[in-house]
Amino acid sequence: MKIINNILESIVMEAFERAGFDSKYGKVSLSDRPDLCDYQCNGALTAAKEYKKAPFMIADEVVKNIENQMIKKAEMVKPGFINITLSEKFLSEYCQKMIESNKLGFEDVKGKKIVLDYGGPNIAKPLHVGHLRPAVIGESIKRIHKFVGDEVIGDVHLGDWGLQMGLIIEELKVRKPDLLYFDENYEGDYPKDPPFTIDELEEIYPAASKKTKVEDNATAEEIAFAEEFKENARKNTGLLQQQKRGYYDLWKQIVAVSLEDLKKNYEKLNVNFDLWLGESDSQKYVPEMIKMMEDRKIIYESDGAMVVDVQEPTDNNTINPCMILKRGGVSCYQTTDLATLLQRKKEFNPDEVIYVVDKRQEMHFVQVFRCAKKADLVNSDTVLTFLGFGTINGKDGKPFKTRDGGVMRLEKLIEEVNKKIYNKLADNKEMTEKEKNEISKIVGLAALKYADLSNQISKDYIFDIDKFTSIEGDTGPYILYTIVRVKSIIKKYKENNPNFVKSKINIPGSDVERNIMLLISQFNQTIEQAYIENAPYKICSYLYKLATEFNSFYNNTKILKEEKATAEAHIELITLVKHVLEIGIDLLGFSAPDKM
Ligand code: ARG
């Protein structure tokens, strides 16, 4: 179904033309003053300059040329707005047609092929609060693009190939020097079982990382120790990347143990990846990539490292050369991201690659994208998009921490949110213990995800668990509560009227009913905007408006107590409300329970 805003726009553009003005002034948008009209056009205000005529005169002439069944009223409002109100008949028919159409009448666009790089957890490090955003945002972006008609391949892109792996190997060497993996003379098979648990592993990395850092007042000896440890780790990393026997096998164990844990945690978030590839998977493309850079004569040596210049004449500030290989031919963060682009081109040939990554990494991606284009690692028309997200802060405005100042593990965070919800259900006598547990997980996830997605991606936000889990206000639980309410009304009606099958939506009988229809009719426009701008928050605010309107309908109308035909029409309408809300939350990556 065509987006109403677009239909109106062609009508208004034509009216501008018929009145003797350029049609380009006929842009239409949603009304800023919903109390006055549904849509508006401000074009007469801008046209005034070109035609040296008062805006209200232009608007007046245009309005005279607007004639259409779908429009109840098109009027000029001083100083020169054109306010448009839809006819009630059109609105109810549009909603009815949505019910009868596939995907609520959303018209597929010609789909693109997209690789979506999100998640980005690092092997051997537990997921913490910083991993919430890429997972939650990425999952929603994936669902929105799929809904619209794109083919999306979601890749977790594990951090499994950098210096941190060399550090872990070094620390293991110190702690468990007798492991077969370190025996240079050993030629047999390595044990099947990993030589550590996930808990051990997660403790090893920070311990190793700490050894490379020195205090300001460190002694020469301490400094030398840290330097040596780091140098060993660097060498380990290089050897690992050359797939040295023993090291490579040990690394596989580290990845396997860690991955199992990661998968479990992403599952809890209802976040699903199509590919579980990592930085390491791009290693086989590195030689070819270097060759492409050599052929184009863009790579050169600098201080023992290999780099490519990416500065452009129009830059206002300095953009450092992109590091391709570190000293000793060791791959670094740029290497793996670049080689991964080549890999993606060969394996998927995508139209676009979207990265959902911390916005503080923007410069890294500027370098990588420029270098990739320069070396033809991607097609010239491949779109490379960096979706940088902001930080989750505590109430003090600083990055969110645990009470004792540590990094909050994601598992713990999810648990705390679920517990909050559980406490609200604790006294509910109509639920079994099992139901309470299940429902608090569903609602907890909605609270967490909605809180994140209702903010613009690039903005920081404050983690306020009490606010997020509240059933009132612009929250996930509020949206779910509304869906549950609609579900129970429908259920009750069907129980009392077993013969009811289907009806049709009526002309709205009240302002609030009309508001609901107007909002529903803007479903396709909302999704399209969220899609074009990669902006799930637009879906959140839309759902919140619809939920609020529905609740005031519920409070002001005897939805089911009217005479039969009206009650049935109401049921059709609220079923549609439910459908829109459910599709909406599915695009955000969560679902609703049957009761709460
Ligand atoms: N592992 C990285 C980190 O912890 C994030 C990876 C983001 N994705 C990428 N293709 N670079 O910072």
Side-chain angles (χ1 to χ4, degrees), residues 538-585:
K538 298 219 155 166
I539 296 180
C540 292
S541 58
Y542 172 75
L543 297 181
Y544 179 57
K545 272 193 235 155
L546 182 57
T548 311
E549 268 327 317
F550 168 78
N551 284 314
S552 77
F553 180 54
Y554 174 83
N555 290 328
N556 298 320
T557 321
K558 296 187 191 71
I559 300 184
L560 304 181
K561 298 230 174 80
E562 307 271 356
E563 44 93 25
K564 186 162 170 283
T566 311
E568 287 186 350
H570 282 165
I571 285 294
E572 287 304 323
L573 180 64
I574 70 173
T575 305
L576 181 57
V577 169
K578 172 172 102 76
H579 202 161
V580 172
L581 292 175
E582 282 175 337
I583 291 185
I585 61 171

Side-chain angles (χ1 to χ4, degrees), residues 249-261:
D249 301 83
L250 180 59
W251 170 84
K252 277 198 216 148
Q253 294 281 22
I254 302 175
V255 173
V257 169
S258 190
L259 203 53
E260 194 187 305
D261 187 62

Side-chain angles (χ1 to χ4, degrees), residues 117 119-122 131 157-159 279 333 337 344 355-357 361 364-365:
D117 185 316
N122 295 318
H131 293 107
H157 198 74
L158 302 165
E279 295 167 351
Y333 194 34
D337 264 327
R344 286 172 177 161
Y355 294 83
V356 183
V357 181
Q361 293 193 21
H364 165 78
F365 284 97

Side-chain angles (χ1 to χ4, degrees), residues 29-42 71-79 81-86 88 511 514-515 518:
S29 57
L30 297 182
S31 167
D32 287 339
R33 290 286 305 273
D35 53 326
L36 297 181
C37 59
D38 303 332
Y39 293 84
Q40 66 185 57
C41 168
N42 304 345
I71 297 170
K72 182 165 91 179
K73 195 167 77 184
E75 59 175 350
M76 185 283 291
V77 173
K78 277 191 175 163
F81 298 108
I82 298 169
N83 287 357
I84 300 169
T85 305
L86 295 172
E88 278 70 36
D511 282 351
R514 185 185 191 282
N515 290 346
L518 182 64

